[in-house]
Amino acid sequence: MSGTAVQRPELGSLVAAVPAGQAARATAQSAVAAVDDEAVRLRSAVKARDGFFTTFFISPYSRYIARWCARRGLSPNQVTTASLLTALIAAGCAATGSRGGYIAAGLLLLFSFVLDCTDGQLARYSLQYSTMGAWLDATFDRAKEYAYYAGLALGAARNGDDVWALALGAMVLQTCRHVVDFSFNEANHDAVANSSPTAALSDKLDSVGWTVWLRRMIVLPIGERWAMIAVLTAVTTPRIVFYALLIGCAVAACYTTAGRLLRSLTRKAQRTDRAAGALADLADSGPLAQFVAARGPRIGSGWAAPAAALVGALALVAAALTQPFGSRQMIVAAVFYAVCSGVAVARPLKGALDWLVPPIFRAAEYCTILALAARSDVDQALPAAFGLISAVAYHHYDTVYRIRGGTGAPPQWLVRTIGGHEGRTLVVAVLAAVFTQHSGFTVALTALAVAVALVVLVESIRFWVSSGAPAVHDEGEPA
């Protein structure tokens, strides 16, 4: 067609030619025959963009494990399942609380990560792609990591050290950090005039070799994170593991969030209706917030949405940290938070900083549950809260993967059934008031966790088994 730009793709070690004569034909055939197809397949099995630890310490040999698996007829899903089982065994070893158990746990966690890299390389090497495989890979990573946190907490408890609050804090921070990445990317991936001086600086830094690796490492991707956890488990204590994890994730969260804030403030972007819809889905608003959004006041544009969300979140978390456990003030704060949440999502989320709304909601809900469980002085309340947040976090990750697969968020009946973020927060506040200084608070949190997990898992499994949409797993991009 006239005016169509013609581009030449990068062939790498492959050969392509249009010979003009017999001699050129013979030369081209010789060059094609000289290509090592097997070496090309092995190189192509490895992701082009990966973390430092994965690139230099895992992929050089995991690709050969992938080839070994392919020659024996193993599927990527089988390798993914083996990775999960290995991580669960590692968590069980950590739960023993012995030094031998910790050493075994660290080694098994590293081997689980090797298998985690191998399944994707096997899929690319053998061209075995499936929706189920993508979903398993995405969800099992979270299950493995959080199960390992629980194993460390159980092991520490055997030695008289209660680190459940640290384990829960690490899970909360890690999940909120991912939500920042997911929310920002969904808000901006199809934005008009999507450029800024900060983005230009980021592109310039990516042209310098050492800064590329430094920026990939500072965000503490899964390879670096699991390597740190494994080594520290083997040589130190669970408390030190969680301290290091909290510090590392906090630095990564500050770095990535600061970069995203700068990009948002310096770019002149017009966000689309699709992006606003994705942010509304990520907000996970329940019946209470939806009622306020439909019937309540609609504040102006600009920074009003994140400001309203932040005011409600700060009031909620402050009440959870300062008010007596089980007090009526906590219920009032939860109601106020629900109202602010509805006000925040009353208008389409198209402002420059509106992508902050979902992360603020996640932090408010998770931190409130953590604070109430930690201050309750009720036996086993923190492990029960760990289970509840794990179930809710799975729902939030599942929402992200569905949106990225192009199928939209989970159905509204599911969101209404599990209450939305503001509804669950209010329920937990009421449970704290009803079961003040009583073991019933632990039982109630456990029952709530089981109920949420059952509803979410059944619907999620039904969807991904029957859906033809791809799931997308992402550890986040450097800011």
Side-chain angles (χ1 to χ4, degrees):
M1 293 178 61
S2 177
T4 301
V6 178
Q7 297 180 341
R8 183 182 186 277
E10 293 294 333
L11 298 176
S13 57
L14 298 178
V15 175
V18 181
Q22 192 64 30
R25 178 187 177 89
T27 301
Q29 288 178 331
S30 176
V32 169
V35 174
D36 188 342
D37 292 339
E38 180 62 18
V40 172
R41 289 182 67 190
L42 280 174
R43 282 195 299 270
S44 300
V46 178
K47 289 169 62 175
R49 178 184 176 87
D50 223 329
F52 179 86
F53 180 77
T54 304
T55 299
F56 293 102
F57 292 92
I58 303 296
S59 292
Y61 58 87
S62 62
R63 68 184 75 180
Y64 297 103
I65 300 177
R67 181 175 65 182
W68 182 89
C69 292
R71 290 176 176 176
R72 282 153 184 81
L74 297 177
S75 69
N77 290 354
Q78 290 173 322
V79 178
T80 302
T81 303
S83 176
L84 173 66
L85 294 176
T86 303
L88 294 179
I89 296 172
C93 291
T96 64
S98 65
R99 178 52 53 193
Y102 289 152
I103 293 174
L107 292 174
L108 286 170
L109 186 65
L110 285 177
F111 182 58
S112 174
F113 181 65
V114 172
L115 293 176
D116 184 54
C117 296
T118 300
D119 62 3
Q121 293 168 355
L122 174 59
R124 288 183 286 272
Y125 178 84
S126 58
L127 301 180
Q128 299 183 65
Y129 302 106
S130 69
T131 299
M132 175 64 74
W135 173 68
L136 290 177
D137 184 56
T139 55
F140 280 8
D141 279 353
R142 302 284 73 77
K144 288 181 286 188
E145 187 165 2
Y146 297 157
Y148 193 83
Y149 292 177
L152 285 175
L154 289 170
R158 286 180 176 271
N159 295 314
D161 188 13
D162 187 356
V163 297
W164 276 106
L166 296 177
L168 190 49
M171 183 171 68
V172 168
L173 181 56
Q174 183 65 19
T175 304
C176 290
R177 184 166 76 95
H178 281 157
V179 174
V180 168
D181 294 340
F182 296 146
S183 185
F184 177 82
N185 290 337
E186 288 302 321
N188 292 282
H189 87 284
D190 58 354
V192 180
N194 193 10
S195 62
S196 72
T198 307
L201 175 61
S202 178
D203 293 338
K204 184 177 181 179
L205 290 175
D206 275 341
S207 65
V208 183
W210 68 270
T211 62
V212 172
W213 293 116
L214 178 63
R215 296 171 75 238
R216 291 187 191 179
M217 292 173 66
I218 199 173
V219 299
L220 204 64
I222 189 170
E224 278 75 358
R225 192 167 67 251
W226 282 25
M228 179 186 72
I229 293 171
V231 172
L232 291 179
T233 298
V235 301
T236 64
T237 65
R239 181 172 289 272
I240 293 177
V241 173
F242 286 124
Y243 282 153
L245 190 60
L246 287 167
I247 293 172
C249 287
V251 171
C254 291
Y255 171 75
T256 55
T257 304
R260 282 150 175 69
L261 284 171
L262 286 174
R263 289 189 184 192
S264 299
L265 293 173
T266 56
R267 69 170 36 140
K268 302 295 184 181
Q270 296 179 359
R271 290 174 174 82
T272 63
D273 291 336
R274 182 243 176 238
L279 290 181
D281 292 333
L282 290 174
D284 191 33
S285 300
L288 295 176
Q290 291 175 359
F291 177 82
V292 173
R295 304 292 181 86
R298 296 197 173 192
I299 53 180
S301 56
W303 297 358
L310 185 61
V311 168
L314 291 177
L316 178 69
V317 176
L321 291 173
T322 61
Q323 297 302 312
F325 177 75
S327 66
R328 293 181 179 178
Q329 292 90 329
M330 186 64 224
I331 298 178
V332 172
V335 172
F336 177 72
Y337 170 70
V339 173
C340 290
S341 300
V343 171
V345 298
R347 290 180 178 273
L349 298 176
K350 292 186 176 182
L353 298 179
D354 284 359
W355 58 270
L356 286 170
V357 171
I360 291 173
F361 288 163
R362 296 298 80 77
E365 179 182 2
Y366 298 164
C367 290
T368 298
I369 297 173
L370 168 59
L372 289 177
R375 300 184 67 233
S376 67
D377 290 328
V378 176
D379 189 39
Q380 300 301 310
L382 279 168
F386 189 95
L388 175 58
I389 293 180
S390 296
V392 174
Y394 176 87
H395 164 61
H396 290 145
Y397 278 109
D398 186 54
T399 301
V400 169
Y401 301 142
R402 293 196 195 203
I403 293 174
R404 291 194 168 189
T407 60
Q412 273 298 302
W413 70 260
L414 175 65
V415 177
R416 288 194 295 268
T417 300
I418 60 176
H421 67 95
E422 81 290 351
R424 289 186 298 270
T425 304
L426 180 57
V427 168
V428 174
V430 171
L431 292 176
V434 172
F435 298 107
T436 304
Q437 300 299 325
H438 193 281
S439 60
F441 183 60
T442 297
V443 176
L445 283 183
T446 303
L448 182 59
V450 171
V452 172
L454 284 176
V455 173
V456 169
L457 281 174
V458 168
E459 162 58 20
S460 178
I461 293 172
R462 181 209 63 78
F463 173 80
W464 288 112
V465 168
S466 61
S467 172
V472 181
H473 176 44
D474 182 21
E475 273 286 317
E477 296 294 332

